[in-house]
Amino acid sequence: MMNLLEKIKKVFDPNEWEVKKLQKHVDAVNLLSEEMSRLSDEQLKGKTAEFREMLKQGKTLDEIMVPAFAAVREAAKRTIGLRHFDVQILGGVVLHGYGLNHGRIAEMKTGEGKTLVATLPIYLNALTGKGVHLVTVNDYLAKRDALWMGPVYHFMGLSVGIIQHDVSFIFDPDYMVGDPGSDRIRPVHRRDAYHADITYGTNNEFGFDYLRDNMVMHSEEKVQRELNFAIVDEVDSILIDEARTPLIISGRGEETTEDYRKYARLVKRLVKDKDYTVDEKSHSSPLTEEGVVRAEEYLGLITAKPEGETEEGEIEKEDHPLYAEENIEVLHRLENALKAKELYKLDVDYVIKDGEVVIVDEFTGRLMFGRRYSDGIHQAIEAKENVKIKSEDQTLASITFQNYFRMYNKLSGMTGTAATEEREFRQIYNIDVVIIPTNKPLNRQDLPDRIFKTQEAKLNAAVKEIESLHKSERPVLVGTRSIELSETLSLMLKRKGIPHNVLNAKYHEKEAQIIAQAGKPGAVTIATNMAGRGVDIILGGNPPDSASAERVKQLGGLFILGTERHESRRIDNQLRGRSGRQGDPGTTRFFTALDDEIMRLFGSERLPDWITDVADDEELPLDHPIFTKAIQKAQEKVESHHFDIRKTVLDYDNVMNEQRKIIYAERNKIIEGADIKPTIEGMIDEEIDKLVALYCGEGIHFEEWDLESLFKACKETFTPLPFDASQKALETPDRRTIRNEIRRWAMDTYNKKREKWGGELSNLVEKWVLLRNVDSKWIDHLQTMDVLREGIGLRGYAQKDPLIEYINESYQYFEAMKQSLAESIVKDLFRIQVKSEQIEERKKRRVTVTREHRGDGGEGGTTIRKGKKIGRNDPCPCGSGKKYKRCCGA
């Protein structure tokens, strides 16, 4: 009966229909396999030029997909010894987005070879010459995959760039440094890595480089080009899990180190449940009335004793100076200190590494170097842990992953777990999910949860299970949600004398090596749930050993033991997916407790009261369908909550994104050498019109015009203007005459400055003034929006939609910023002075730079001898006194 139901379900499954529809392309590739195999290496390499010629003649990528895929399949077999399976060809068709104007997500189980699958659409789309990005979750995988697949692309005549955190490379099989077995990668400028046909890197690096590109002063400093096509590996991790945290480039702000330490000392004196309460669900820690009084006394705030509480039990805030308008910042820092004390846990949310607080990614367990909690939280944690407190940062540029990746002309992704989030992928990114069948039938047994009353009972039972598995030499991977739990388990195993490896954020550098050996006989590996993602666990160990592999298969394969359910079903499925790759046997089981975080916060209300009575024996696992249902409902509740958070972040960033596009477009015009003189003249006209309208407005009789204030304002704006030269012209009752006279004076002064400086220097000065003001005003606007965003939620109490309020006010602030921008640019241009010696020095620099480029000497400037290399830290030969890298070498 069950088999019949499954068959009926498949008949009406839209995914099954889609897979069958795309199968014809796989068959077509197979038909070309023999033809491709008969080609010589040179003939196969020549296919790239043929395909490019076809595109020039008007063929589409869809039309050349089948022969291109067949060529790559043959190239992979000849270069790296791997030949794409049929399901991998199918995955490539999905990633390319055949027949669509957008990409898709290919859901493929762990071990199905997604890295090889990506070579097909990458090669095809790279033929356009517009570039393809392969986005991974960390530097190790970006480098590994580029080196692994690099020979395929190189054989077919395509270049491969690699973006790392602090260095960039080009894959070059002929490049060798010292050891003949060293990586064949040549260090290059970041721009060269981005201008390769194919570029491998991480989501963070791609995003931050985009932001940095929109902060440069010269177009040649940009590293990225048009965002053409991206394939995101572990797409759910990057576009879902990390989407709640925007990318932010910050600059140093105000130094307030001692303030943070003061509040850290204060909250140590406050008592939980007496002076404040903790609400883990809402992630808040509000003060009680008694706590407010104690805080005010400690901070030296003068207060009258409150008369009591309101009918609702709330503090009469107007009686407390802590809630006064002038003390809002005091209250904010105090609340942050309480959050740091109670809601941010060491070795769970962050670690201390080299004297710094480093955030631990809650989904991957990886250290997030360079990331900091915003809004003063990070400083509050630093004060709590008594490490060096870095100053509060000021936002210079920011963007969400959603808005960054939506800028690509085409976006695709691959992962083992995406179907549960398909609604979000469709709604946010306009990409759907296709589930690709496995190459071999799944041979993994997923056992029901073992549920315990307490965490202590759960961990004791888990250790007994691990001990039993280890004695039988069956490898076991133990999944944990935090560093703290992984180290607790490690200590328990040490006491039992069980050898094991621990993989968490503290051992991030060894991630790949540790996880690759988790399939050896008798291996016990403790890892955060997502650690080592992207690295296959091969039964028997790595490199593969056939005897060991067979031994492990006979024992039942890799055993996955989850020590706690994650907030998302998808993360649990990812942990399960580490076992049973390519038809291997395997087993998975989760151990859960009634006081686990997800059950305590989201699932406990779904359990009936009689459960506690039945569950008196803490060592006895509780097997009842109601627990499974409660866990599932709790996970669905949390997933929905997280989706709402990500959607809210995107809704607000969408407002900023439209403004960001306008500002970045203006910056690009300036740095790419557009003629900005008309723009400046337009700004001058705007300022004149604004001043004339202000002091000689329409509908006001000319005798009531305030010409004196108009002259004064003009002098402040267009310094120095000789207004007394045409006083009579300005006293006419004709508004247009007055406006034209002011414009004549303004333009005359402006043109005389340009004539004095010369065309080249004038363009440089104007470009500098425009960029300086655009960046300064944009940064101030970002700070204004941060403040607006923080408090906008309170509008809900007035029955107003916070998002609508934010959209309206953001628009008003942006329009005000644009007006202020024009005014400040005009004032700066009229006030700025360039001394004659600076003009001469600029001329010398131009000559010197030219000569350094040629490499020969001559008169008129510092001579640079042929063949002599100037060090980046050497004094600049132009005589400026600066280092070469900060001057002509920039």
Side-chain angles (χ1 to χ4, degrees):
M1 182 66 177
M2 183 59 70
N3 288 337
L4 178 60
L5 288 174
E6 288 178 358
K7 287 179 181 179
I8 294 173
K9 186 178 178 181
K10 280 191 173 184
V11 169
F12 294 100
D13 184 355
N15 190 82
E16 288 289 324
W17 280 94
E18 188 64 23
V19 168
K20 287 181 179 179
K21 186 174 76 174
L22 297 178
Q23 182 62 39
K24 64 181 180 182
H25 303 298
V26 179
D27 298 337
V29 172
N30 285 330
L31 288 174
L32 288 177
S33 293
E34 187 177 346
E35 178 185 328
M36 291 294 175
S37 67
R38 290 197 299 265
L39 297 177
S40 66
D41 283 356
E42 290 305 313
Q43 288 173 323
L44 185 57
K45 291 176 182 178
K47 285 293 179 182
T48 297
E50 287 182 26
F51 296 143
R52 282 180 163 160
E53 185 59 32
M54 290 179 185
L55 292 174
K56 286 180 182 178
Q57 292 175 2
K59 292 281 188 180
T60 66
L61 290 176
D62 281 358
E63 289 174 316
I64 66 169
M65 181 186 73
V66 168
F69 279 18
V72 175
R73 185 191 225 180
E74 182 63 25
K77 186 176 73 172
R78 296 187 190 187
T79 54
I80 60 176
L82 298 175
R83 184 178 184 275
H84 299 76
F85 300 130
D86 284 4
V87 292
Q88 291 175 319
I89 299 288
L90 181 62
V93 175
V94 169
L95 290 175
H96 167 60
Y98 181 88
L100 304 170
N101 58 4
H102 58 80
R104 304 176 101 173
I105 293 173
E107 179 178 297
M108 303 182 73
K109 300 299 181 187
T110 299
E112 291 294 302
K114 292 186 287 292
T115 306
L116 183 62
V117 170
T119 58
L120 301 166
I122 285 177
Y123 171 77
L124 174 63
N125 285 267
L127 292 171
T128 63
K130 296 179 181 179
V132 176
H133 292 171
L134 192 288
V135 187
T136 66
V137 292
N138 61 47
D139 278 347
Y140 166 78
L141 291 176
K143 185 177 177 182
R144 184 206 69 176
D145 292 354
L147 291 175
W148 189 7
M149 299 297 127
V152 180
Y153 305 124
H154 189 268
F155 179 88
M156 297 301 292
L158 300 183
S159 55
V160 181
I162 307 169
I163 300 294
Q164 301 280 273
H165 177 60
D166 53 0
V167 68
S168 305
F169 304 97
I170 286 287
F171 176 77
D172 185 352
D174 300 323
Y175 184 78
M176 185 170 60
V177 181
D179 180 11
S182 63
D183 293 337
R184 301 299 199 268
I185 50 177
R186 173 166 45 85
V188 295
H189 190 279
R190 210 168 184 84
R191 196 169 194 265
D192 295 330
Y194 272 114
H195 281 66
D197 295 307
I198 302 153
T199 307
Y200 281 75
T202 67
N203 51 313
N204 287 335
E205 293 306 312
F206 285 128
F208 279 128
D209 281 339
Y210 168 77
L211 291 177
R212 284 188 283 261
D213 273 358
N214 285 284
M215 297 172 69
V216 300
M217 299 295 286
H218 305 282
S219 59
E220 58 269 22
E221 294 173 359
K222 282 192 166 189
V223 296
Q224 288 186 345
R225 50 179 169 161
E226 180 187 10
L227 301 178
N228 176 45
F229 175 44
I231 295 177
V232 183
D233 193 11
E234 309 299 356
V235 65
D236 53 327
S237 175
I238 292 173
L239 298 190
I240 300 291
D241 297 335
E242 295 198 36
R244 281 190 285 168
T245 308
L247 292 173
I248 299 173
I249 292 181
S250 303
R252 178 158 294 187
E254 189 181 354
E255 294 284 352
T256 51
T257 298
E258 189 49 42
D259 270 1
Y260 288 108
R261 299 205 187 281
K262 176 174 69 177
Y263 294 112
R265 290 192 294 269
L266 167 57
V267 298
K268 284 183 180 179
R269 301 185 178 193
L270 300 181
V271 180
K272 182 179 177 181
D273 295 328
K274 179 183 178 185
D275 297 318
Y276 62 91
T277 58
V278 177
D279 186 342
E280 292 182 77
K281 276 189 180 182
S282 64
H283 207 65
S284 63
S285 185
L287 288 163
T288 63
E289 185 174 355
E290 188 173 350
V292 170
V293 174
R294 290 197 63 189
E296 288 172 340
E297 290 174 352
Y298 178 87
L299 295 169
L301 301 176
I302 300 172
T303 176
K305 292 293 181 182
E307 296 179 0
E309 299 182 346
T310 65
E311 292 179 6
E312 292 79 19
E314 296 178 348
I315 299 169
E316 291 280 6
K317 295 183 178 180
E318 60 269 21
D319 292 333
H320 292 279
L322 185 60
Y323 292 98
E325 185 177 351
E326 64 271 17
N327 291 324
I328 289 298
E329 188 62 27
V330 173
L331 179 62
H332 179 64
R333 295 215 173 127
L334 177 55
E335 289 173 340
N336 278 352
L338 281 171
K339 287 180 180 179
K341 177 184 178 183
E342 294 292 345
L343 297 170
Y344 292 86
K345 304 295 186 183
L346 178 66
D347 289 342
V348 177
D349 301 296
Y350 63 91
V351 298
I352 305 297
K353 190 172 180 68
D354 300 328
E356 291 189 12
V357 172
V358 182
I359 299 173
V360 176
D361 189 302
E362 64 175 303
F363 299 103
T364 66
R366 297 188 178 99
L367 295 183
M368 301 170 74
F369 292 100
R371 291 277 193 97
R372 290 176 66 81
Y373 293 116
S374 60
D375 201 27
I377 289 289
H378 211 96
Q379 288 82 358
I381 296 172
E382 289 168 332
K384 164 191 167 183
E385 297 295 345
N386 199 28
V387 299
K388 182 180 178 181
I389 300 175
K390 295 184 179 179
S391 61
E392 284 192 57
D393 292 332
Q394 182 180 20
T395 300
L396 304 181
S398 71
I399 194 170
T400 59
F401 279 129
Q402 292 106 317
N403 274 322
Y404 172 72
F405 282 106
R406 291 196 305 184
M407 286 190 292
Y408 280 88
N409 297 328
K410 185 163 72 172
L411 178 67
S412 291
M414 51 190 186
T415 181
T417 46
T420 57
E421 312 293 343
E422 184 170 12
R423 180 173 69 97
E424 183 166 350
F425 283 123
R426 282 180 181 273
Q427 187 172 337
I428 305 299
Y429 302 101
N430 190 33
I431 46 180
D432 58 343
V433 178
V434 178
I435 302 172
I436 309 297
T438 55
N439 186 49
K440 296 179 180 178
L442 186 64
N443 189 23
R444 186 186 72 223
Q445 186 180 14
D446 296 327
L447 300 176
D449 288 20
R450 294 187 67 190
I451 304 172
F452 299 82
K453 184 177 179 181
T454 66
Q455 290 199 48
E456 183 181 358
K458 175 187 71 174
L459 294 181
N460 286 333
V463 169
K464 287 180 183 178
E465 183 85 359
I466 294 167
E467 185 177 24
S468 173
L469 291 165
H470 177 67
K471 284 181 180 178
S472 70
E473 291 198 323
R474 186 175 183 183
V476 55
L477 175 65
V478 184
T480 66
R481 282 196 58 194
S482 67
I483 298 170
E484 184 180 47
L485 182 56
S486 67
E487 295 188 341
T488 298
L489 272 172
S490 176
L491 185 61
M492 294 174 74
L493 292 180
K494 284 177 182 176
R495 289 172 181 163
K496 291 279 188 179
I498 300 172
H500 60 280
N501 284 315
V502 179
L503 176 57
N504 57 38
K506 290 186 175 180
Y507 308 102
H508 176 79
E509 296 85 358
K510 301 176 182 177
E511 181 175 314
Q513 296 93 315
I514 293 175
I515 207 73
Q517 303 304 324
K520 294 177 69 174
V524 176
T525 308
I526 301 174
T528 48
N529 284 354
M530 299 253 301
R533 191 172 178 187
V535 180
D536 284 340
I537 299 176
I538 300 173
L539 298 188
N542 195 8
D545 177 76
S546 56
S548 297
E550 189 57 37
R551 168 71 175 148
V552 171
K553 287 179 181 179
Q554 290 174 354
L555 293 169
L558 178 67
F559 191 101
I560 301 290
L561 193 155
T563 55
E564 186 175 349
R565 285 285 194 160
H566 200 275
E567 292 176 343
S568 169
R569 292 165 296 169
R570 181 169 44 82
I571 308 298
D572 288 345
N573 291 338
Q574 287 161 1
L575 180 60
R576 291 189 193 276
R578 306 313 299 268
S579 177
R581 62 181 293 277
Q582 283 293 325
D584 288 339
T587 307
T588 70
R589 187 196 289 275
F590 278 88
F591 283 53
T592 58
L594 297 185
D595 57 354
D596 283 346
E597 184 176 309
I598 190 167
M599 292 300 295
R600 183 165 45 83
L601 297 181
F602 298 99
S604 57
E605 71 273 13
R606 300 183 180 276
L607 297 176
D609 295 336
W610 57 262
I611 289 294
T612 305
D613 299 329
V614 174
D616 283 340
D617 188 349
E618 293 187 348
E619 295 297 328
L620 181 66
L622 308 167
D623 295 319
H624 196 285
I626 197 169
F627 290 105
T628 304
K629 188 174 182 181
I631 290 171
Q632 182 179 345
K633 291 295 182 183
Q635 287 179 318
E636 289 174 358
K637 188 175 179 181
V638 179
E639 287 168 356
S640 177
H641 174 65
H642 285 169
F643 173 67
D644 290 341
I645 292 174
R646 291 189 293 268
K647 185 67 168 59
T648 300
V649 169
L650 180 60
D651 287 340
Y652 281 90
D653 191 61
N654 281 340
V655 180
M656 288 301 298
N657 197 46
E658 294 305 311
Q659 299 173 4
R660 186 187 297 117
K661 288 177 181 177
I662 294 171
I663 292 296
Y664 285 178
E666 289 302 315
R667 280 193 105 264
N668 286 334
K669 287 180 187 177
I670 297 169
I671 66 174
E672 288 171 6
D675 184 5
I676 56 179
K677 189 171 184 289
T679 301
I680 292 171
E681 290 175 345
M683 289 180 176
I684 293 172
D685 284 336
E686 282 181 28
E687 288 306 299
I688 293 172
D689 290 341
K690 185 171 71 176
L691 292 174
V692 171
L694 182 62
Y695 298 106
C696 307
E698 295 282 351
I700 300 176
H701 194 271
F702 76 92
E703 291 182 353
E704 297 179 11
W705 291 351
D706 190 353
L707 294 179
E708 185 178 345
S709 295
L710 173 62
F711 301 160
K712 184 178 179 182
C714 286
K715 286 181 179 180
E716 289 176 357
T717 303
F718 308 110
T719 302
L721 279 180
F723 285 100
D724 53 339
S726 297
Q727 192 74 26
K728 288 183 179 180
L730 287 173
E731 291 175 354
T732 175
D734 183 8
R735 186 181 289 103
R736 177 171 294 185
T737 300
I738 292 176
R739 185 230 181 249
N740 290 341
E741 187 67 12
I742 295 173
R743 187 181 191 279
R744 184 181 65 77
W745 287 330
M747 291 302 179
D748 183 58
T749 303
Y750 170 56
N751 289 324
K752 282 179 179 177
K753 278 200 169 195
R754 285 184 60 88
E755 185 179 341
K756 178 183 176 182
W757 294 338
E760 181 185 354
L761 184 56
S762 294
N763 291 336
L764 285 172
V765 171
E766 290 170 356
K767 176 180 175 181
W768 180 82
V769 169
L770 260 69
L771 288 176
R772 174 182 175 276
N773 279 281
V774 167
D775 290 346
S776 175
K777 295 294 182 182
W778 178 241
I779 290 168
D780 289 345
H781 182 66
L782 289 176
Q783 192 170 14
T784 300
M785 291 301 97
D786 284 345
V787 174
L788 178 63
R789 174 75 178 85
E790 286 171 15
I792 202 71
L794 297 175
R795 308 287 177 90
Y797 292 111
Q799 304 300 312
K800 296 180 179 179
D801 186 328
L803 179 59
I804 299 298
E805 293 288 299
Y806 180 80
I807 291 171
N808 292 335
E809 293 201 23
S810 176
Y811 174 77
Q812 293 170 13
Y813 281 126
F814 188 65
E815 289 301 308
M817 183 207 74
K818 288 195 295 183
Q819 291 182 12
S820 173
L821 177 61
E823 180 181 339
S824 61
I825 287 173
V826 170
K827 284 183 176 180
D828 282 358
L829 280 172
F830 277 86
R831 286 192 174 102
I832 196 167
Q833 299 292 326
V834 180
K835 296 179 181 178
S836 57
E837 56 266 31
Q838 290 175 311
I839 297 175
E840 291 303 315
E841 182 182 322
R842 179 69 199 180
K843 290 178 181 177
K844 284 183 181 179
R845 286 196 196 185
R846 188 172 67 251
V847 172
T848 304
V849 170
T850 303
R851 286 179 180 156
E852 194 276 332
H853 179 72
R854 292 203 314 265
D856 53 7
E859 297 179 359
T862 304
T863 301
I864 301 176
R865 298 185 180 180
K866 187 175 182 179
K868 182 180 178 182
K869 183 179 179 181
I870 304 170
R872 284 176 52 75
N873 292 308
D874 292 345
C876 188
C878 77
S880 66
K882 298 179 182 179
K883 291 183 178 181
Y884 177 66
K885 67 181 180 182
R886 300 292 184 195
C887 191
C888 297

